[in-house]
Amino acid sequence: MQAFRNCGLCASGSLLLKGRTDFLVARRNMAVLRLSAACVQLLKDKANVFCRSPVHQRLLRLPEVARSNTVAFSLGTSLCAVPFTQQVENLSHESLIRRASCLVTDSANTYLSQTTLALVDALTQYAKALHTLIALQKRYITSIGKLTPAEEDSIWQVIIGQRVEVSDRLEECKRLESNWMNAINICELSAEAAYNSGAEHACTAMKTNLQVAQCKVEEVRKISKEAEKKLAETKAEEIQRMAEYASSIDINDLEDIPEAYLRED
């Protein structure tokens, strides 16, 4: 009987312990569920904010950017890369030739702009050197017969040095003008190629750039030509002034006139 009573107590205790354990497990599961629900709600809020952000908008455009690709093809031993979008019509020979002609016109435009800038700068420097020489020779004309032999020799050294600079500037203009003319010819050929391939816009732009470059060079050329004309007039005035000065002095005094005075340049 005592043993039976003890077994009953043990069984009751086991049942109570098991019930308490089940209750704790249930509470823990409820806590886990509540935590999971909170995490899900937080993720939803973050997702809504991200969808409205500029970063998400840029990511949505990534597939459009990825559609653009580059195809490389070989012709003989040379390779050429041509950008294209994934459309059947852009893979035709005509389209590839048109794109290649546009690349040629872009390169020709760059060559033209650089040679035009160099020639315009050279012509400008040449015109400045001419005006400096004109000023020196006019100063000499007004001082004929008024300077000492040392002063006359000094001013003629300056004039001769300036004449050398004018000659160097002129040679530089001729060299750069040769490059500029090559650029003009290349641009004309590239414009014709663009027109024949159907790239009318590139052809029109090239012709416009050609006109602008030619106008700029022509303007500076006109300035340098005017300076050359003034220099020639100054030389004629110098010769006339020297003749007047020689006729106003005794013939025996001509031996004292420096040789540079009697030089006709």
Side-chain angles (χ1 to χ4, degrees):
M1 179 63 72
Q2 185 66 30
F4 179 77
R5 190 179 296 114
N6 291 335
C7 289
L9 292 174
C10 290
S12 299
S14 297
L15 291 174
L16 291 173
L17 180 60
K18 181 178 180 181
R20 185 177 182 182
T21 302
D22 294 339
F23 175 73
L24 294 176
V25 171
R27 290 190 61 185
R28 184 181 62 184
N29 291 339
M30 290 298 295
V32 171
L33 289 175
R34 286 194 295 270
L35 180 60
S36 299
C39 292
V40 170
Q41 184 62 35
L42 179 61
L43 289 175
K44 288 182 178 180
D45 295 339
K46 292 293 185 181
N48 291 332
V49 174
F50 178 73
C51 289
R52 293 192 297 268
S53 65
V55 176
H56 180 260
Q57 298 299 327
R58 288 196 294 269
L59 290 176
L60 288 177
R61 290 195 295 269
L62 283 178
E64 299 178 1
V65 178
R67 295 193 188 100
S68 179
N69 202 345
T70 302
V71 62
F73 64 93
S74 61
L75 251 164
T77 58
S78 62
L79 293 178
C80 180
V82 180
F84 73 103
T85 55
Q86 293 180 351
Q87 296 179 3
V88 177
E89 60 181 1
N90 288 341
L91 295 178
S92 63
H93 293 300
E94 290 78 7
S95 177
L96 294 175
I97 292 174
R98 185 165 54 251
R99 290 173 180 270
S101 66
C102 290
L103 292 176
V104 171
T105 56
D106 290 341
S107 299
N109 274 323
T110 302
Y111 185 36
L112 176 64
S113 63
Q114 293 299 324
T115 53
T116 302
L117 179 63
L119 180 58
V120 168
D121 183 66
L123 288 172
T124 302
Q125 296 301 322
Y126 172 61
K128 289 182 179 180
L130 284 173
H131 283 292
T132 302
L133 180 58
I134 292 170
L136 289 172
Q137 293 202 174
K138 284 186 175 181
R139 179 182 175 185
Y140 163 69
I141 292 172
T142 57
S143 62
I144 291 178
K146 301 178 183 179
L147 301 175
T148 64
E151 292 174 340
E152 292 171 350
D153 183 70
S154 177
I155 191 172
W156 266 104
Q157 291 297 327
V158 176
I159 291 175
I160 292 172
Q162 188 62 31
R163 286 176 177 175
V164 172
E165 182 178 353
V166 168
S167 179
D168 292 341
R169 296 290 185 184
L170 181 59
E171 290 298 323
E172 184 181 9
C173 289
K174 292 179 179 179
R175 178 176 57 84
L176 293 175
E177 186 173 5
S178 177
N179 292 331
W180 183 73
M181 290 302 300
N182 290 335
I184 292 293
N185 294 331
I186 291 174
C187 288
E188 290 176 348
L189 291 174
S190 63
E192 183 180 357
Y195 179 78
N196 292 334
S197 64
E200 290 84 1
H201 178 73
C203 177
T204 303
M206 175 60 72
K207 289 183 177 180
T208 301
N209 293 336
L210 278 171
Q211 292 177 356
V212 172
Q214 290 171 342
C215 289
K216 286 183 178 180
V217 172
E218 188 62 29
E219 289 177 0
V220 184
R221 275 179 178 170
K222 187 180 296 184
I223 295 175
S224 63
K225 292 296 183 182
E226 291 177 356
E228 290 176 348
K229 183 179 180 181
K230 288 182 180 179
L231 179 62
E233 293 174 354
T234 304
K235 288 182 178 181
E237 183 182 356
E238 177 186 347
I239 294 173
Q240 181 180 359
R241 182 69 181 85
M242 284 300 305
E244 294 175 355
Y245 175 70
S247 62
S248 65
I249 61 177
D250 188 73
I251 189 66
N252 295 324
D253 296 335
L254 291 176
E255 297 179 356
D256 298 332
I257 299 177
E259 182 181 355
Y261 292 176
L262 305 177
R263 184 183 307 162
E264 295 183 5
D265 296 317

